[in-house]
């Protein structure tokens, strides 16, 4: 008898959550969920069953506490500011003149959580182990107990945030015996971070203060990470005071913050774009391979309406320069490129297309030889903000005489074509560079070296637009080989002019990422005036920095 | 005896067909799990080039099949299956599928199983009573329960959570047990069992509420038609007590068709209730299935489907045997 219900299952839509939202918003019953007030409870987004995996090399499948909380990189790069990185294990670092040698000094008298000494040998071992060895890596040598010298074949100026900020230092005395680093689950992690694993189950796991942590054990003695399967559950637990910190989308944040004990922050960093398969030379097919069509779409869409209707007014304005403003202020070459047009201009879109030789067919849609072109735009089913945005884009483009068909696909059908290039346009989120320098955006998404022919997956980089432009490639190479600000600015100006004209990725909005945290039970959270780290519980390293700043409020 | 032999042979063939289909179906879906995992890995690692070693490690485990013929894959699939090896999950890499299923199965079987049995018994007993007293005020129970059945399940569950858990605070919001009290997971203590039962009440209630109407309606109608049968009239004419007529003559015969339905419902217990598990973050198997399908996790998908297929077949086989026993008419062919 419940069989019909099961087929409804898949239809568990966000719409249902919205209904309950209205009901839960009223007067939540207060009350502490747990017994011990000093335990901080987090939902970092994991669903049950939680994977028992603390392998710092499993960046996609290991649990959140692995990154920063248990294992640490050398330095912390705050993606919210342009300030110099903060030393964790590392104390200072210096590049050689040619950028091929990097000398790192680590702090003295460090300990692993099992009591062994953490020395430069461990750091050197880490850089020569597993997937940390990049193509350009030559050697890592510990010259004394606190100094490590890393040598590469190419200048490494631009990879500081990867090398120093997201290479997790592992103890040699344990990992030296592990051969298959990808299949390792590391259920008893020994790290250097502020916390050590206390208990694990597939519904929740708990970490406790590391007594051997270099700055002394953190004030919050226990942190419990929960596995939850829906945003609605998390929101319910938040309003009833049972969890203290979550990073999730809540369309109506007032429903949670109304009581005053929960505070929210909304950071807008990662650009959502219409990623196009842009390069006919590499095998892309469709009208969107013509830059004029992409330019027309760029001016035909009404970003203000999209941000408002599809993203609940929480998204930010994206920039065709793919810099993050105001953080990357010094790298923006032209103030015109600070943000994309926010309002639709159908007339301009039409003019661009007509100048490129397109004419309207009987129904008013542009095409050649009397047949209108049609472009396919897909987004993953159930990502309601993306689905709504795609629908709006399709309608707005139609007003300008451009036929875009929005459709939704399953998760599986989403990732594969994007990587293989077997698509025309997709709504796709790019990842913002985590340092105040757009280099990684340009290298990752726009460089010809980061792409591959249609049908193949890029081996390096994520240039899924298949964009390839020798001018951009030259400038990316030039910017990567120098630390000189003026040279870099010149290179970036070239890149920005090219990509803002060619638009292989048509910027739509900057995604909202909301965090909610309990300021009544814990103090020391990042605030408007002191954004020492992004308060997102799923963000590697920043989460640990926040945790070690907190104190129980009583 | 040949009735039972025929049934056994029939079920063996069905089993083979089901397992073969289970092998074939995921391979007909678009997408490549290795490509998906590599893509996610690449995004997650913030642009670090993936090393050859990493790519090899992943494709060798997940991408197998590109160079193998379908037949060789099929033979290898049977070989692994007979050893009890269900493979490695790609979405929960490198957890083994067998472990994931073993952890989820007890929760689903106990909660959905008990809820299904309660719903069935409740429906049969109340249905028999309502049918017996047809035409009285009791008949109003039928539309009331069917309304609950026609409300979309997720909506019903969300409303109950909003009212009883969030507003009134009577029941927990999520989980199969109190993760705050038992941070290390299940343990063999009464306190834990109590916590698990407490956490099961609301989800079980939602299942019972949404399914009892069907049983009740079916039973009531069968009861009404059975009561006009000659043997019931004869029993009444003989002057037997109404209680005896109701239980021994009418209810027993009226329940037979429902029993067949119950067998099928029991089989589907293992498929879990995807929506219930999603709403309550309940650690069951329906959720594994959804995650597997969304993440194109072939191994997990096959493992879950296999377990579901086996239980549905087993439950049906069992009910077939029982049915042949209770109702001898089915043992005679043609």
């Amino acid at each position: 008898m419940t069989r019909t219900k099961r087929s409804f299952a898949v239809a568990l839509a966000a719409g249902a959550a919205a209904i309950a939202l209205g009901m839960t918003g009223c007067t939540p019953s207060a009350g502490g969920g747990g017994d011990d007030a000093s335990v901080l409870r987090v939902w970092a987004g994991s669903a049950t069953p939680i994977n028992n995996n603390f392998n710092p090399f499993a960046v996609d499948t290991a649990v959140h506490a692995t990154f920063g909380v248990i294992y640490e990189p050398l330095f912390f790069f705050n993606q919210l500011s342009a300030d110099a990185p903060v030393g964790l294990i590392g104390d200072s670092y210096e590049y050689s003149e040619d950028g091929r040698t990097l000398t790192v000094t680590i702090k003295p008298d460090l300990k692993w959580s099992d009591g062994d000494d953490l020395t430069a040998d461990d750091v050197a071992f880490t850089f020569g182990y597993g997937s940390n060895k990049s193509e350009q890596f030559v050697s890592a040598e510990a010259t004394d107990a606190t100094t490590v010298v890393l040598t590469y074949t190419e200048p490494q100026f631009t990879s500081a945030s990867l090398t120093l900020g997201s290479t997790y230092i592992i103890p040699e005395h344990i990992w030296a015996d592990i051969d298959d680093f990808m299949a390792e689950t590391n259920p008893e992690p020994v790290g250097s971070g502020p916390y050590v694993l206390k208990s694990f189950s597939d519904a929740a796991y708990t970490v406790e203060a590391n007594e051997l942590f270099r700055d002394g054990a953190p004030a919050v003695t226990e942190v419990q990470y929960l596995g939850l399967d829906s945003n609605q559950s998390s929101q319910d637990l938040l309003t009833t005071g049972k969890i203290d910190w979550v990073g999730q989308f809540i369309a109506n944040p007032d429903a949670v913050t109304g009581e005053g004990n929960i505070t929210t922050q909304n950071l807008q960093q990662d650009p959502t774009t219409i990623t196009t398969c842009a390069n006919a030379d590499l095998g892309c097919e469709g009208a969107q391979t013509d830059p004029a069509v992409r330019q027309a779409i760029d001016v035909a869409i009404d970003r203000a309406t999209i941000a408002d209707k599809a993203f609940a007014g929480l998204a930010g304005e994206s920039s065709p320069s793919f810099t993050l403003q105001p953080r990357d202020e010094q790298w923006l070459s032209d103030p015109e490129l600070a943000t994309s047009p926010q309002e639709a201009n159908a007339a301009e879109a039409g003019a661009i297309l007509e100048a490129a030789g397109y004419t309207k067919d009987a129904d008013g849609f542009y095409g050649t030889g009397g047949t209108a072109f049609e472009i396919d735009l897909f987004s993953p089913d159930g990502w309601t903000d993306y689905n709504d945005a795609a629908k709006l884009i399709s309608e707005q483009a139609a007003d300008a005489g451009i036929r875009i068909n929005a459709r939704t696909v399953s998760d599986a059908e989403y990732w594969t074509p994007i990587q293989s290039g077997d698509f025309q346009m997709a709504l796709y989120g790019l990842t913002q560079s985590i340092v105040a320098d757009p280099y990684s955006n340009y290298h990752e998404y726009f460089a010809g070296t980061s792409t591959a022919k249609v049908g193949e997956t890029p081996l390096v980089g994520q240039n899924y637009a298949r964009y390839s432009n020798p001018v951009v490639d030259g400038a990316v190479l030039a910017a990567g080989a120098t630390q000189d600000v003026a040279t870099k600015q010149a290179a970036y100006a070239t890149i920005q002019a090219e990509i803002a004209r060619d638009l292989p990725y048509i910027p739509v909005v900057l995604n909202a990422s909301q965090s909610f945290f309990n300021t009544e039970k814990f103090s020391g959270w990042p605030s408007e005036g002191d954004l020492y780290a992004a308060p997102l519980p799923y963000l590697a390293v920043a989460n640990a920095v926040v945790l070690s700043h907190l104190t129980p409020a009583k | 005896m040949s009735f039972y032999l025929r049934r056994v042979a029939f079920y063996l063939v069905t089993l083979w067909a089901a397992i073969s289909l289970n092998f074939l179906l995921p391979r007909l879906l678009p997408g490549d799990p290795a490509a998906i995992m590599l893509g996610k890995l690449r995004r997650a690692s913030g642009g670090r080039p993936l090393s050859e070693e990493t790519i090899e490690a992943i494709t060798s485990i997940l991408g197998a099949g590109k160079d193998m013929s379908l037949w060789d894959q099929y033979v290898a699939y049977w070989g692994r299956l007979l050893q009890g090896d269900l493979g490695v999950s790609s979405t929960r890499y490198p957890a083994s599928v067998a472990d994931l299923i073993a952890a989820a199965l007890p929760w689903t079987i106990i909660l959905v199983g008990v809820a299904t049995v309660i719903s069935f018994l409740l429906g049969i007993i109340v249905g028999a009573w309502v049918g017996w007293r047809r035409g009285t005020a009791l008949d109003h129970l039928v539309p009331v329960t069917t309304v609950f059945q026609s409300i979309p399940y997720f909506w019903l569950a969300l409303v109950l959570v909003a009212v009883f858990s969030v507003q009134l605070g009577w029941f927990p919001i999520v989980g199969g047990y109190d993760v705050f009290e038992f941070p290390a997971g299940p343990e063999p203590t009464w306190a834990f069992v109590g916590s698990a039962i407490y956490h099961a009440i609301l989800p079980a209630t939602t299942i019972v509420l949404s399914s009892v109407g069907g049983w009740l309606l079916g039973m009531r109608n069968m009861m009404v038609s059975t009561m006009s049968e000659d043997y019931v009239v004869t029993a009444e004419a003989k002057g037997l007590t109404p209680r005896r007529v109701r239980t021994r003559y009418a209810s027993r015969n009226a329940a037979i068709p429902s029993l067949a339905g119950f067998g099928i419902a029991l089989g589907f217990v293992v498929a879990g209730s995807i929506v219930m598990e999603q709403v309550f973050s309940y650690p069951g198997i329906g959720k594994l299935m959804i995650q597997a399908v969304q993440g194109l996790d072939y191994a997990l998908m096959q493992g879950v489907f296999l377990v579901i297929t086996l239980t549905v077949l087993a439950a049906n086989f069992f009910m077939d045997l029982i049915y042949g026993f209770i109702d001898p008419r089915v043992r005679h062919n043609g």
Side-chain angles (χ1 to χ4, degrees):
Chain A
M1 292 298 148
T2 52
R3 288 170 71 190
T4 37
K5 300 294 169 305
R6 269 180 212 109
S7 45
F8 268 105
V10 196
L12 176 75
I19 296 166
L21 195 94
M23 308 201 57
T24 54
C26 322
T27 43
S29 60
D35 30 344
D36 189 356
S38 69
V39 181
L40 187 141
R41 292 182 172 113
V42 187
W43 184 48
S46 23
T48 58
I50 301 175
N51 218 12
N52 190 352
N53 188 345
F54 289 88
N55 178 354
F57 296 97
V59 283
D60 184 37
T61 44
V63 301
H64 296 287
T66 311
F67 306 104
V69 179
I70 293 176
Y71 291 97
E72 293 180 301
L74 294 166
F75 292 86
F76 167 60
F77 289 74
N78 183 1
Q79 64 181 51
L80 302 179
S81 82
D83 297 346
V86 178
L88 298 174
I89 293 172
D91 196 34
S92 64
Y93 65 92
E94 199 182 350
Y95 278 106
S96 65
E97 195 79 0
D98 64 358
R100 294 191 171 93
T101 311
L102 177 57
T103 309
V104 182
T105 316
I106 65 167
K107 292 175 178 168
D109 306 322
L110 299 174
K111 294 271 190 204
W112 292 108
S113 58
D114 64 355
D116 278 25
D117 289 336
L118 191 173
T119 66
D121 286 325
D122 291 301
V123 179
F125 169 78
T126 301
F127 280 96
Y129 184 86
S131 51
N132 291 335
K133 280 180 296 183
S134 70
E135 297 262 300
Q136 303 163 341
F137 174 80
V138 177
S139 69
E141 274 173 68
T143 51
D144 63 49
T146 56
T147 312
V148 180
V149 179
L150 303 170
T151 318
Y152 295 88
T153 54
E154 299 288 330
Q156 297 295 305
F157 296 126
T158 55
S159 60
S161 69
L162 275 185
T163 314
L164 303 170
S166 46
T167 301
Y168 298 92
I169 307 302
I170 48 173
E172 180 174 12
H173 65 276
I174 291 173
W175 285 81
D177 300 328
I178 297 172
D179 292 327
D180 193 351
F181 68 93
M182 277 309 285
E184 175 62 40
T185 58
N186 195 28
E188 288 164 14
V190 172
S192 62
Y195 291 89
V196 290
L197 181 63
K198 185 185 181 197
S199 64
F200 183 92
S201 79
D202 60 9
Y205 59 96
T206 307
V207 293
E208 62 183 348
N210 177 6
E211 298 297 332
L212 299 173
F213 187 55
R214 59 179 176 273
D215 301 333
V220 176
T221 50
E222 268 186 37
V223 181
Q224 185 177 32
Y225 289 80
L226 306 180
L228 301 173
D229 297 324
S230 72
N231 282 1
Q232 185 59 45
S233 308
S234 155
Q235 192 181 333
D236 289 348
L237 289 169
L238 201 61
T239 43
T240 51
K242 289 188 172 126
I243 47 177
D244 309 308
W245 189 15
V246 302
Q248 71 167 88
F249 178 75
I250 296 182
N252 172 19
D254 296 345
V256 180
T257 55
E259 295 284 298
N261 53 345
I262 306 287
T263 300
T264 181
Q265 268 188 8
N266 178 14
L267 305 166
Q268 299 142 342
Q269 297 205 318
D270 292 336
T272 285
T273 66
I274 304 173
T275 295
T276 68
C277 193
N279 191 341
D281 293 341
L282 286 178
C284 294
E285 283 171 17
Q288 84 290 345
T289 52
D290 182 349
V293 171
R294 302 196 295 266
Q295 287 156 5
I297 296 171
D298 183 53
V299 294
I301 59 178
D302 181 348
R303 292 180 172 82
T305 304
I306 295 171
D308 196 42
K309 288 192 176 166
F311 296 92
L314 295 162
E317 297 182 359
S318 58
S319 160
S321 68
F322 286 86
T323 56
L324 179 65
Q325 298 304 329
R327 185 192 72 178
D328 303 346
E329 219 166 0
Q330 65 164 326
W331 306 119
L332 183 70
S333 58
D334 178 354
E336 284 275 292
L337 300 179
T339 60
S340 296
Q342 295 301 305
E343 260 134 53
N345 189 340
E348 194 185 340
I352 293 172
L353 288 174
E354 274 158 24
Y358 293 92
T359 49
K360 278 191 178 176
D361 72 352
D363 297 328
F365 286 97
Y366 282 100
T368 41
T371 358
F373 59 75
E374 292 186 35
I375 307 176
D376 181 79
L377 169 68
F378 69 101
S379 59
D381 195 32
W383 298 20
T384 46
D385 47 356
Y386 273 31
N387 302 156
D388 293 345
K391 225 180 292 167
L392 288 169
I393 288 168
S394 167
E395 287 164 13
Q396 293 161 356
D399 289 343
I402 303 167
R403 190 162 266 161
I404 295 178
N405 301 322
R407 66 183 175 103
T408 62
V409 296
S410 73
D411 259 25
E413 288 169 277
Y414 179 67
W415 298 100
T416 315
I418 286 178
Q419 288 186 62
S420 69
D422 184 17
F423 72 104
Q424 294 185 313
M425 299 201 305
L427 267 186
Y428 185 72
L430 310 188
T431 322
Q432 185 63 263
S433 60
I434 65 165
V435 286
D437 182 336
Y439 178 84
S440 74
N441 289 347
Y442 300 148
H443 178 262
E444 192 75 1
Y445 299 109
F446 294 94
T449 48
S450 302
T451 196
K453 282 193 302 227
V454 168
E456 289 168 16
T457 305
L459 277 177
V460 178
Q462 307 177 69
N463 184 350
Y464 298 133
R466 266 69 198 177
Y467 183 62
S468 180
N469 177 342
V471 181
V472 169
D473 291 354
V476 168
L477 213 60
T482 179
Q483 268 186 310
D484 179 59
V485 172
T487 318
K488 266 165 90 167
Q489 277 170 335
Y492 288 168
T494 311
I495 297 171
Q496 288 167 12
E498 295 287 316
I499 64 176
R501 184 197 64 225
D502 288 346
L503 292 164
Y505 305 85
I506 304 168
V508 183
V509 293
L510 290 184
N511 261 343
S513 52
Q514 293 167 279
S515 54
F516 296 85
F517 38 85
N518 192 326
T519 42
E520 197 173 82
K521 279 169 73 184
F522 300 96
S523 54
W525 298 98
S527 59
E528 283 299 326
D530 183 17
L531 285 171
Y532 61 83
L536 294 168
Y538 49 79
L539 204 63
V541 195
N543 63 350
V545 173
V546 171
L547 284 178
S548 26
H549 271 75
L550 297 180
T551 43
K554 63 162 185 177
Chain B
M1 200 59 207
S2 76
F3 164 76
Y4 294 105
L5 277 179
R6 279 202 315 273
R7 299 316 292 161
V8 170
F10 169 78
Y11 275 102
L12 282 178
V13 173
T14 316
L15 187 65
W16 167 79
I19 292 177
S20 302
L21 262 181
N22 187 33
F23 162 80
L24 210 56
L25 283 180
R27 281 169 176 74
L28 299 177
L29 290 172
D32 169 7
I36 293 171
M37 186 163 167
L38 286 174
K40 288 186 177 168
L41 207 59
R42 199 168 268 142
R43 274 172 71 84
S45 61
R48 182 197 301 274
L50 294 183
S51 66
E52 285 292 321
E53 280 170 284
T54 315
I55 296 175
E56 248 168 57
I58 288 166
T59 42
S60 72
I61 294 185
L62 303 173
K66 274 198 173 154
D67 313 323
M68 269 169 101
S69 74
L70 203 60
W71 174 252
D72 288 341
Q73 290 180 53
Y74 182 63
V75 172
Y77 165 74
W78 267 102
R80 285 197 308 273
L81 202 62
L82 293 176
Q83 291 165 24
D85 176 5
L86 296 176
V88 172
S89 158
S90 68
T91 49
R92 306 266 153 199
Y93 186 87
S96 94
V97 170
D99 289 347
L100 287 172
I101 293 178
L105 208 50
W107 292 102
T108 301
I109 291 183
I110 293 174
L111 178 67
V112 188
V114 169
T116 306
V117 171
I118 290 178
S119 171
F120 173 73
L121 290 179
L122 209 63
I124 295 301
I125 294 170
V126 178
W129 186 249
V130 173
W132 180 253
R133 305 281 304 274
R134 65 196 178 284
T136 67
L138 266 181
D139 256 356
H140 295 311
L141 264 179
V142 175
V144 170
T145 52
T146 40
V147 161
F148 275 120
Q149 189 170 23
S150 55
I151 295 176
Y153 176 80
F154 63 84
W155 198 81
L156 180 71
L158 282 172
V159 168
L160 287 183
V161 170
V163 174
F164 292 102
S165 301
V166 179
Q167 297 282 337
L168 299 172
W170 292 353
F171 293 104
I173 295 169
V174 291
Y177 56 91
D178 192 339
V179 290
F180 304 131
E181 224 169 296
F182 304 95
E187 50 180 69
T189 60
W190 286 114
F192 176 79
V193 173
S195 170
I197 293 174
Y198 178 48
H199 278 71
I201 294 175
L202 202 57
T205 309
T206 59
I207 297 178
V208 171
L209 268 184
S210 72
S211 62
V212 72
W215 299 119
L216 195 144
L217 181 68
M219 184 62 191
R220 181 223 173 245
N221 292 347
M222 272 314 289
M223 191 74 181
V224 170
S225 67
T226 312
M227 275 163 52
S228 60
E229 295 279 343
D230 291 345
Y231 60 83
V232 178
V233 179
T234 312
E236 280 175 333
K238 278 201 294 187
L240 297 179
T241 61
R243 185 190 144 87
R244 191 172 164 83
V245 175
R246 192 178 75 236
T247 54
R248 304 297 293 270
Y249 286 76
S251 303
R252 267 179 80 168
N253 288 295
I256 287 180
S258 294
L259 266 177
F262 182 60
I264 294 171
L266 266 193
F268 277 96
V269 159
V270 169
S273 170
I274 296 171
V275 186
M276 182 277 287
E277 288 170 14
Q278 201 78 24
V279 171
F280 292 95
S281 290
Y282 206 81
I285 209 153
K287 192 165 47 213
L288 284 184
M289 180 156 77
I290 271 288
Q291 287 172 356
V293 172
Q294 283 174 345
L296 210 72
D297 190 340
Y298 284 169
L300 188 56
M301 235 188 285
Q302 285 177 328
V304 172
F305 289 161
L306 186 72
V307 171
I308 293 172
T309 314
L310 290 183
T311 26
V312 171
L313 280 179
N316 278 307
F317 181 56
F318 185 68
M319 285 315 291
D320 246 12
L321 299 187
I322 300 265
Y323 211 72
F325 180 71
I326 330 179
D327 190 352
R329 283 172 297 181
V330 301
R331 289 206 298 263
H332 299 288
N333 50 335

